Amino acid sequence: RLDFCYVSGRGRTMDEDNELLALLCTRIGTIMEDASAVAITAAAMDGGERTRSILQIADAASHITALANAAVALANPEGSVASSRR
């Protein structure tokens, strides 16, 4: 019997890496969906509430960036995040 299960240098199988990537990407999508609802309604808000909403969107964007960078690092274990953007 041949075993075609690839094991990365980090000791995880490719399936485990794919599962982690799926979880990261799903979480990114969830955050984007939640932030889009805030973004759509922010313009109709008053002063302080609008500012809080915009800050909430900025926090979501930072979280998305961190998760996306983690996903890129997981998908490209030999390369850097910066080189993957080219």
Side-chain angles (χ1 to χ4, degrees):
R1 176 176 185 267
L2 293 175
D3 186 4
F4 291 103
C5 183
Y6 169 79
V7 177
S8 72
R10 297 176 309 279
R12 291 190 308 266
T13 67
M14 198 161 71
D15 285 342
E16 290 171 324
D17 285 355
N18 287 339
E19 186 176 338
L20 288 171
L21 281 169
L23 290 171
L24 288 167
C25 291
T26 299
R27 183 65 183 134
I28 289 168
T30 301
I31 294 168
M32 291 173 77
E33 185 176 358
D34 293 345
S36 70
V38 175
I40 289 168
T41 60
M45 296 175 182
D46 294 328
E49 188 178 10
R50 180 185 297 164
T51 300
R52 281 188 296 279
S53 294
I54 293 168
L55 289 171
Q56 185 179 355
I57 294 165
D59 287 344
S62 294
H63 197 173
I64 290 167
T65 299
L67 291 170
N69 286 338
V72 169
L74 184 62
N76 300 300
E78 290 82 29
S80 68
V81 172
S83 66
S84 298
R85 293 178 194 248
R86 292 185 204 145

Coordinates of all heavy atoms in Angstrom, one line a residue:
R1 N 0.8 -1.2 0.0 CA 0.0 0.0 0.0 C 0.9 1.2 0.0 O 1.8 1.4 0.8 CB -0.9 0.0 1.2 CG -1.7 1.2 1.4 CD -2.7 1.0 2.6 NE -3.6 2.1 2.7 CZ -3.4 3.2 3.4 NH1 -2.3 3.3 4.1 NH2 -4.3 4.1 3.4
L2 N 0.6 2.2 -0.9 CA 1.3 3.4 -1.0 C 0.6 4.5 -0.2 O -0.6 4.6 -0.2 CB 1.5 3.9 -2.4 CG 2.4 3.0 -3.3 CD1 2.3 3.6 -4.7 CD2 3.8 3.0 -2.8
D3 N 1.3 5.3 0.6 CA 0.7 6.4 1.3 C 1.2 7.7 0.7 O 2.3 8.0 0.7 CB 1.2 6.3 2.8 CG 0.5 7.3 3.7 OD1 -0.4 8.0 3.2 OD2 0.9 7.4 4.9
F4 N 0.2 8.4 0.1 CA 0.5 9.6 -0.6 C 0.3 10.9 0.3 O 0.1 12.0 -0.1 CB -0.3 9.8 -1.8 CG 0.1 8.8 -2.9 CD1 -0.7 7.7 -3.1 CD2 1.3 9.0 -3.6 CE1 -0.3 6.8 -4.1 CE2 1.6 8.1 -4.6 CZ 0.9 7.0 -4.8
C5 N 0.2 10.6 1.6 CA -0.1 11.7 2.6 C 1.2 12.5 2.8 O 2.2 12.1 3.3 CB -0.5 11.1 3.9 SG -1.0 12.4 5.1
Y6 N 1.2 13.8 2.3 CA 2.3 14.7 2.4 C 2.4 15.2 3.8 O 1.4 15.6 4.4 CB 2.2 15.8 1.4 CG 3.2 16.9 1.7 CD1 4.5 16.8 1.2 CD2 2.8 18.1 2.4 CE1 5.4 17.8 1.4 CE2 3.7 19.1 2.6 CZ 5.0 19.0 2.1 OH 5.9 20.0 2.4
V7 N 3.6 15.2 4.4 CA 3.8 15.8 5.7 C 4.7 16.9 5.6 O 5.8 16.8 5.1 CB 4.4 14.7 6.7 CG1 4.7 15.4 8.1 CG2 3.5 13.5 6.9
S8 N 4.3 18.1 6.0 CA 5.1 19.3 5.9 C 6.2 19.3 6.9 O 6.2 18.4 7.8 CB 4.2 20.6 6.2 OG 3.9 20.6 7.6
G9 N 7.2 20.1 6.7 CA 8.3 20.2 7.6 C 8.0 20.5 9.0 O 8.7 20.4 9.9
R10 N 6.7 21.0 9.2 CA 6.3 21.4 10.6 C 5.6 20.2 11.3 O 5.1 20.4 12.4 CB 5.3 22.6 10.5 CG 6.0 23.8 9.9 CD 5.0 24.9 9.7 NE 3.8 24.6 9.0 CZ 3.7 24.5 7.7 NH1 4.8 24.7 6.9 NH2 2.6 24.2 7.1
G11 N 5.6 19.0 10.7 CA 5.0 17.9 11.3 C 3.5 17.7 11.1 O 2.9 16.8 11.7
R12 N 2.9 18.5 10.3 CA 1.5 18.4 10.1 C 1.3 17.9 8.7 O 2.1 18.1 7.8 CB 0.8 19.8 10.2 CG 0.7 20.3 11.6 CD -0.2 21.6 11.6 NE 0.2 22.6 10.6 CZ 1.0 23.6 10.8 NH1 1.5 23.8 12.0 NH2 1.2 24.5 9.9
T13 N 0.2 17.2 8.5 CA -0.1 16.7 7.1 C -0.7 17.9 6.3 O -1.2 18.9 6.8 CB -1.1 15.6 7.1 OG1 -2.4 16.1 7.6 CG2 -0.6 14.4 8.0
M14 N -0.7 17.7 5.0 CA -1.2 18.6 4.1 C -2.7 18.8 4.3 O -3.3 19.9 4.2 CB -1.0 18.2 2.6 CG -1.2 19.3 1.6 SD -0.4 19.0 0.0 CE -1.4 17.8 -0.6
D15 N -3.4 17.8 4.7 CA -4.9 17.9 5.0 C -5.1 18.8 6.2 O -6.0 19.6 6.3 CB -5.5 16.5 5.3 CG -5.7 15.7 4.1 OD1 -5.7 16.3 3.0 OD2 -5.9 14.5 4.2
E16 N -4.2 18.7 7.2 CA -4.3 19.5 8.4 C -4.1 21.0 8.0 O -4.8 21.9 8.5 CB -3.3 19.1 9.5 CG -3.7 17.8 10.1 CD -2.6 17.2 11.1 OE1 -1.4 17.4 10.8 OE2 -3.0 16.7 12.1
D17 N -3.1 21.2 7.2 CA -2.8 22.6 6.7 C -4.0 23.1 5.9 O -4.4 24.3 6.1 CB -1.6 22.6 5.8 CG -0.3 22.5 6.6 OD1 -0.3 22.4 7.8 OD2 0.8 22.4 5.9
N18 N -4.6 22.3 5.1 CA -5.8 22.7 4.3 C -6.9 23.0 5.2 O -7.7 24.0 5.0 CB -6.2 21.7 3.3 CG -5.2 21.6 2.1 OD1 -4.5 22.6 1.9 ND2 -5.2 20.5 1.4
E19 N -7.1 22.2 6.3 CA -8.2 22.5 7.2 C -7.9 23.8 8.0 O -8.9 24.6 8.2 CB -8.3 21.4 8.3 CG -9.4 21.5 9.2 CD -9.6 20.3 10.1 OE1 -9.1 19.2 9.8 OE2 -10.2 20.5 11.2
L20 N -6.7 24.1 8.4 CA -6.4 25.3 9.0 C -6.6 26.5 8.1 O -7.2 27.6 8.5 CB -4.9 25.4 9.5 CG -4.7 24.5 10.7 CD1 -3.2 24.4 11.0 CD2 -5.4 25.0 12.0
L21 N -6.2 26.4 6.8 CA -6.4 27.4 5.8 C -7.9 27.7 5.6 O -8.4 28.8 5.6 CB -5.8 27.0 4.5 CG -4.3 27.2 4.4 CD1 -3.8 26.6 3.1 CD2 -4.0 28.7 4.4
A22 N -8.7 26.6 5.6 CA -10.2 26.8 5.5 C -10.7 27.5 6.7 O -11.6 28.4 6.5 CB -10.8 25.4 5.3
L23 N -10.3 27.2 7.8 CA -10.8 27.9 9.0 C -10.4 29.4 9.0 O -11.2 30.2 9.4 CB -10.2 27.2 10.3 CG -10.8 25.8 10.6 CD1 -10.0 25.2 11.7 CD2 -12.3 25.9 10.9
L24 N -9.1 29.6 8.7 CA -8.7 31.0 8.6 C -9.5 31.8 7.6 O -10.0 32.9 7.9 CB -7.2 31.1 8.3 CG -6.2 30.7 9.4 CD1 -4.8 30.5 8.8 CD2 -6.2 31.7 10.5
C25 N -9.7 31.2 6.4 CA -10.4 31.9 5.4 C -11.9 32.1 5.7 O -12.5 33.1 5.4 CB -10.3 31.2 4.0 SG -8.6 31.3 3.4
T26 N -12.5 31.1 6.4 CA -13.9 31.2 6.8 C -14.0 32.3 7.8 O -15.0 33.1 7.8 CB -14.3 29.9 7.4 OG1 -14.2 28.9 6.4 CG2 -15.8 30.0 7.9
R27 N -13.1 32.4 8.8 CA -13.1 33.5 9.8 C -13.0 34.8 9.1 O -13.7 35.8 9.5 CB -12.0 33.2 10.8 CG -12.1 34.2 12.0 CD -13.4 34.1 12.8 NE -13.4 35.1 13.8 CZ -14.4 35.9 14.1 NH1 -15.6 35.7 13.5 NH2 -14.4 36.8 15.0
I28 N -12.1 34.9 8.2 CA -11.9 36.2 7.4 C -13.3 36.6 6.8 O -13.7 37.8 6.9 CB -10.8 36.1 6.3 CG1 -9.4 36.0 7.0 CG2 -10.9 37.3 5.4 CD1 -8.3 35.6 6.1
G29 N -13.9 35.7 6.1 CA -15.2 35.9 5.5 C -16.3 36.4 6.5 O -17.0 37.3 6.2
T30 N -16.3 35.7 7.7 CA -17.2 36.1 8.7 C -17.0 37.5 9.2 O -18.0 38.3 9.3 CB -17.1 35.1 9.9 OG1 -17.4 33.8 9.4 CG2 -18.1 35.5 11.0
I31 N -15.8 37.9 9.4 CA -15.4 39.2 9.9 C -15.8 40.2 8.8 O -16.4 41.3 9.1 CB -13.9 39.3 10.2 CG1 -13.6 38.5 11.4 CG2 -13.5 40.8 10.5 CD1 -12.2 38.3 11.7
M32 N -15.5 39.9 7.5 CA -15.9 40.8 6.4 C -17.4 41.0 6.4 O -17.8 42.2 6.2 CB -15.3 40.3 5.1 CG -13.8 40.3 5.0 SD -13.2 39.5 3.5 CE -13.6 40.7 2.3
E33 N -18.1 40.0 6.5 CA -19.6 40.1 6.5 C -20.1 41.0 7.6 O -20.9 41.8 7.4 CB -20.2 38.7 6.5 CG -21.7 38.6 6.4 CD -22.3 37.2 6.4 OE1 -21.5 36.3 6.5 OE2 -23.5 37.1 6.3
D34 N -19.6 40.7 8.8 CA -20.0 41.6 9.9 C -19.6 43.0 9.7 O -20.4 43.9 10.0 CB -19.4 41.0 11.2 CG -20.0 39.7 11.6 OD1 -21.0 39.2 11.1 OD2 -19.3 39.0 12.5
A35 N -18.4 43.3 9.3 CA -18.0 44.6 9.1 C -18.7 45.3 7.9 O -19.0 46.5 8.0 CB -16.5 44.6 8.8
S36 N -19.2 44.6 6.9 CA -19.9 45.2 5.8 C -21.2 45.8 6.3 O -21.7 46.8 5.9 CB -20.1 44.2 4.7 OG -21.0 43.2 5.0
A37 N -21.9 45.1 7.2 CA -23.1 45.6 7.8 C -22.9 46.9 8.5 O -23.7 47.8 8.4 CB -23.8 44.5 8.7
V38 N -21.8 46.9 9.3 CA -21.5 48.2 10.0 C -21.2 49.3 9.0 O -21.6 50.4 9.1 CB -20.3 48.0 10.9 CG1 -19.9 49.3 11.6 CG2 -20.6 46.9 12.0
A39 N -20.4 49.0 8.0 CA -20.0 50.0 7.0 C -21.2 50.5 6.2 O -21.3 51.7 5.9 CB -19.0 49.3 6.0
I40 N -22.2 49.7 5.9 CA -23.3 50.1 5.2 C -24.2 51.1 6.0 O -24.7 52.1 5.4 CB -24.2 48.9 4.7 CG1 -23.5 48.1 3.6 CG2 -25.6 49.3 4.3 CD1 -24.1 46.8 3.3
T41 N -24.2 50.9 7.3 CA -25.0 51.8 8.1 C -24.3 53.0 8.7 O -24.9 53.9 9.3 CB -25.7 51.0 9.2 OG1 -24.7 50.4 10.0 CG2 -26.6 49.9 8.7
A42 N -23.0 53.0 8.6 CA -22.2 54.0 9.3 C -22.5 55.4 8.8 O -22.6 56.4 9.6 CB -20.7 53.8 9.1
A43 N -22.8 55.6 7.6 CA -23.0 57.0 7.0 C -24.3 57.6 7.6 O -24.4 58.8 7.7 CB -23.1 56.9 5.5
A44 N -25.2 56.7 8.0 CA -26.5 57.2 8.6 C -26.5 57.5 10.1 O -27.4 58.0 10.6 CB -27.6 56.2 8.3
M45 N -25.3 57.2 10.7 CA -25.2 57.4 12.1 C -24.8 58.8 12.5 O -24.2 59.6 11.6 CB -24.2 56.4 12.7 CG -24.6 55.0 12.5 SD -23.3 53.9 13.1 CE -24.0 52.3 12.7
D46 N -25.0 59.2 13.7 CA -24.5 60.5 14.2 C -23.1 60.4 14.8 O -22.7 59.4 15.3 CB -25.5 61.0 15.3 CG -26.9 61.3 14.7 OD1 -27.0 61.7 13.5 OD2 -27.9 61.1 15.4
G47 N -22.4 61.6 14.8 CA -21.1 61.8 15.4 C -20.4 60.7 16.0 O -19.7 59.9 15.4
G48 N -20.6 60.5 17.4 CA -19.8 59.5 18.1 C -20.1 58.1 17.7 O -19.2 57.3 17.7
E49 N -21.4 57.8 17.4 CA -21.7 56.5 17.0 C -21.1 56.2 15.7 O -20.6 55.0 15.4 CB -23.3 56.4 16.9 CG -23.8 55.0 16.6 CD -25.3 54.9 16.6 OE1 -25.9 56.0 16.5 OE2 -25.8 53.8 16.5
R50 N -21.0 57.1 14.8 CA -20.4 56.9 13.5 C -18.9 56.7 13.7 O -18.3 55.8 13.1 CB -20.6 58.2 12.6 CG -19.9 58.0 11.2 CD -20.0 59.3 10.4 NE -21.4 59.5 10.1 CZ -21.8 60.7 9.7 NH1 -21.0 61.7 9.5 NH2 -23.1 60.9 9.4
T51 N -18.2 57.5 14.5 CA -16.8 57.3 14.8 C -16.5 55.9 15.4 O -15.6 55.2 15.0 CB -16.3 58.4 15.8 OG1 -16.5 59.7 15.2 CG2 -14.8 58.2 16.1
R52 N -17.4 55.5 16.3 CA -17.2 54.1 16.9 C -17.3 53.1 15.8 O -16.6 52.1 15.8 CB -18.2 53.9 18.0 CG -17.8 54.6 19.3 CD -18.7 54.2 20.5 NE -20.1 54.6 20.3 CZ -20.5 55.8 20.6 NH1 -19.7 56.8 21.0 NH2 -21.8 56.2 20.4
S53 N -18.3 53.2 14.9 CA -18.5 52.3 13.9 C -17.3 52.2 12.9 O -16.9 51.1 12.5 CB -19.7 52.6 13.1 OG -20.9 52.4 13.9
I54 N -16.8 53.4 12.6 CA -15.6 53.4 11.7 C -14.4 52.8 12.4 O -13.6 52.0 11.7 CB -15.3 54.9 11.3 CG1 -16.4 55.4 10.4 CG2 -14.0 55.0 10.5 CD1 -16.4 56.9 10.1
L55 N -14.2 53.0 13.7 CA -13.1 52.4 14.4 C -13.3 50.9 14.5 O -12.4 50.1 14.4 CB -13.0 52.9 15.8 CG -12.5 54.4 15.9 CD1 -12.6 54.9 17.3 CD2 -11.1 54.4 15.4
Q56 N -14.6 50.4 14.6 CA -14.9 49.0 14.6 C -14.5 48.4 13.2 O -14.0 47.3 13.1 CB -16.4 48.8 14.8 CG -16.8 47.4 15.0 CD -18.3 47.2 15.3 OE1 -19.0 48.2 15.5 NE2 -18.8 46.0 15.3
I57 N -14.8 49.1 12.1 CA -14.4 48.7 10.8 C -12.9 48.6 10.7 O -12.3 47.6 10.1 CB -15.0 49.6 9.7 CG1 -16.5 49.5 9.7 CG2 -14.4 49.2 8.3 CD1 -17.2 50.6 8.9
A58 N -12.2 49.6 11.2 CA -10.7 49.6 11.2 C -10.1 48.4 12.0 O -9.2 47.7 11.5 CB -10.2 50.9 11.7
D59 N -10.7 48.1 13.1 CA -10.3 46.9 13.9 C -10.5 45.6 13.1 O -9.7 44.7 13.2 CB -11.0 46.9 15.3 CG -10.6 47.9 16.2 OD1 -9.5 48.5 16.0 OD2 -11.3 48.2 17.2
A60 N -11.7 45.5 12.5 CA -12.0 44.4 11.7 C -10.9 44.2 10.6 O -10.4 43.1 10.3 CB -13.4 44.4 11.1
A61 N -10.6 45.3 9.9 CA -9.6 45.3 8.8 C -8.2 44.8 9.4 O -7.6 44.0 8.7 CB -9.5 46.6 8.2
S62 N -7.8 45.3 10.5 CA -6.6 44.8 11.1 C -6.6 43.3 11.4 O -5.6 42.6 11.2 CB -6.3 45.6 12.4 OG -6.1 46.9 12.1
H63 N -7.7 42.9 12.0 CA -7.9 41.4 12.3 C -7.8 40.6 11.0 O -7.2 39.6 10.9 CB -9.2 41.2 13.0 CG -9.3 39.9 13.7 ND1 -10.3 39.6 14.6 CD2 -8.5 38.8 13.8 CE1 -10.2 38.4 15.0 NE2 -9.1 37.9 14.6
I64 N -8.5 41.1 9.9 CA -8.5 40.4 8.7 C -7.1 40.3 8.1 O -6.6 39.3 7.6 CB -9.4 41.1 7.7 CG1 -10.9 40.8 8.1 CG2 -9.2 40.6 6.2 CD1 -11.9 41.7 7.3
T65 N -6.3 41.4 8.2 CA -4.9 41.4 7.7 C -4.1 40.4 8.4 O -3.3 39.7 7.8 CB -4.3 42.8 7.9 OG1 -5.1 43.7 7.1 CG2 -2.9 42.9 7.4
A66 N -4.2 40.3 9.8 CA -3.5 39.4 10.5 C -3.8 37.9 10.2 O -2.9 37.1 10.0 CB -3.7 39.6 12.0
L67 N -5.1 37.7 10.0 CA -5.5 36.3 9.6 C -5.0 36.0 8.2 O -4.6 34.8 8.0 CB -7.0 36.2 9.7 CG -7.6 36.2 11.1 CD1 -9.1 36.3 11.1 CD2 -7.2 35.0 11.9
A68 N -5.1 36.9 7.3 CA -4.7 36.7 5.9 C -3.2 36.4 5.9 O -2.7 35.6 5.2 CB -5.1 37.9 5.0
N69 N -2.4 37.2 6.7 CA -1.0 37.0 6.7 C -0.7 35.6 7.3 O 0.2 34.9 6.8 CB -0.3 38.0 7.5 CG -0.2 39.4 6.8 OD1 -0.3 39.4 5.6 ND2 -0.1 40.4 7.6
A70 N -1.4 35.1 8.3 CA -1.2 33.8 8.8 C -1.6 32.7 7.7 O -0.8 31.7 7.6 CB -2.1 33.6 10.0
A71 N -2.6 33.0 7.0 CA -3.0 32.0 5.9 C -1.9 31.9 4.8 O -1.6 30.9 4.4 CB -4.4 32.4 5.3
V72 N -1.4 33.1 4.5 CA -0.3 33.1 3.4 C 0.9 32.4 4.0 O 1.5 31.6 3.2 CB 0.0 34.5 3.0 CG1 1.3 34.6 2.2 CG2 -1.1 35.2 2.3
A73 N 1.3 32.6 5.2 CA 2.4 31.9 5.8 C 2.2 30.4 5.8 O 3.1 29.6 5.6 CB 2.7 32.5 7.2
L74 N 1.0 30.0 6.1 CA 0.7 28.6 6.2 C 0.7 28.0 4.8 O 1.2 26.8 4.6 CB -0.7 28.4 6.8 CG -1.1 26.9 7.0 CD1 -0.2 26.2 8.0 CD2 -2.5 26.9 7.6
A75 N 0.2 28.7 3.8 CA 0.1 28.2 2.4 C 1.5 28.2 1.8 O 1.7 27.4 0.8 CB -0.8 29.1 1.6
N76 N 2.4 29.0 2.3 CA 3.7 29.1 1.7 C 4.8 29.0 2.7 O 5.5 30.0 3.1 CB 3.9 30.5 1.0 CG 2.9 30.7 -0.1 OD1 2.9 29.9 -1.1 ND2 2.1 31.7 0.0
P77 N 5.0 27.8 3.3 CA 5.9 27.6 4.4 C 7.4 28.0 4.1 O 8.1 28.4 5.0 CB 5.7 26.2 4.9 CG 5.1 25.5 3.7 CD 4.4 26.5 2.9
E78 N 7.7 27.9 2.9 CA 9.1 28.1 2.5 C 9.4 29.6 2.1 O 10.5 30.1 2.1 CB 9.6 27.3 1.3 CG 9.7 25.8 1.7 CD 8.4 25.1 1.6 OE1 7.5 25.5 0.9 OE2 8.3 24.1 2.4
G79 N 8.3 30.3 1.8 CA 8.4 31.7 1.4 C 7.9 32.7 2.4 O 7.2 32.3 3.4
S80 N 8.1 33.9 2.2 CA 7.6 34.9 3.1 C 6.3 35.5 2.6 O 5.9 35.3 1.5 CB 8.6 36.1 3.2 OG 8.7 36.8 2.0
V81 N 5.6 36.2 3.5 CA 4.4 36.9 3.1 C 4.6 37.9 2.0 O 3.9 38.0 1.0 CB 3.7 37.5 4.3 CG1 2.5 38.3 3.9 CG2 3.3 36.4 5.3
A82 N 5.7 38.7 2.1 CA 6.0 39.7 1.1 C 6.3 39.1 -0.2 O 5.8 39.7 -1.2 CB 7.2 40.5 1.6
S83 N 7.0 38.0 -0.3 CA 7.3 37.5 -1.6 C 6.1 36.8 -2.3 O 6.0 36.7 -3.5 CB 8.4 36.4 -1.5 OG 8.0 35.3 -0.8
S84 N 5.1 36.5 -1.5 CA 3.9 35.9 -2.0 C 3.0 36.9 -2.7 O 2.1 36.6 -3.4 CB 3.1 35.2 -0.9 OG 3.9 34.2 -0.3
R85 N 3.2 38.2 -2.4 CA 2.3 39.2 -2.9 C 2.7 39.7 -4.3 O 2.1 40.4 -4.9 CB 2.3 40.4 -2.0 CG 1.7 40.1 -0.7 CD 1.7 41.2 0.3 NE 1.4 40.8 1.6 CZ 0.3 41.1 2.2 NH1 -0.6 41.9 1.7 NH2 0.1 40.6 3.4
R86 N 3.8 39.2 -4.8 CA 4.3 39.6 -6.1 C 3.5 38.9 -7.2 O 3.0 37.9 -7.2 CB 5.8 39.3 -6.3 CG 6.6 40.1 -5.4 CD 8.1 39.9 -5.7 NE 8.8 40.2 -4.4 CZ 9.8 39.6 -4.0 NH1 10.3 38.6 -4.6 NH2 10.4 40.1 -2.9

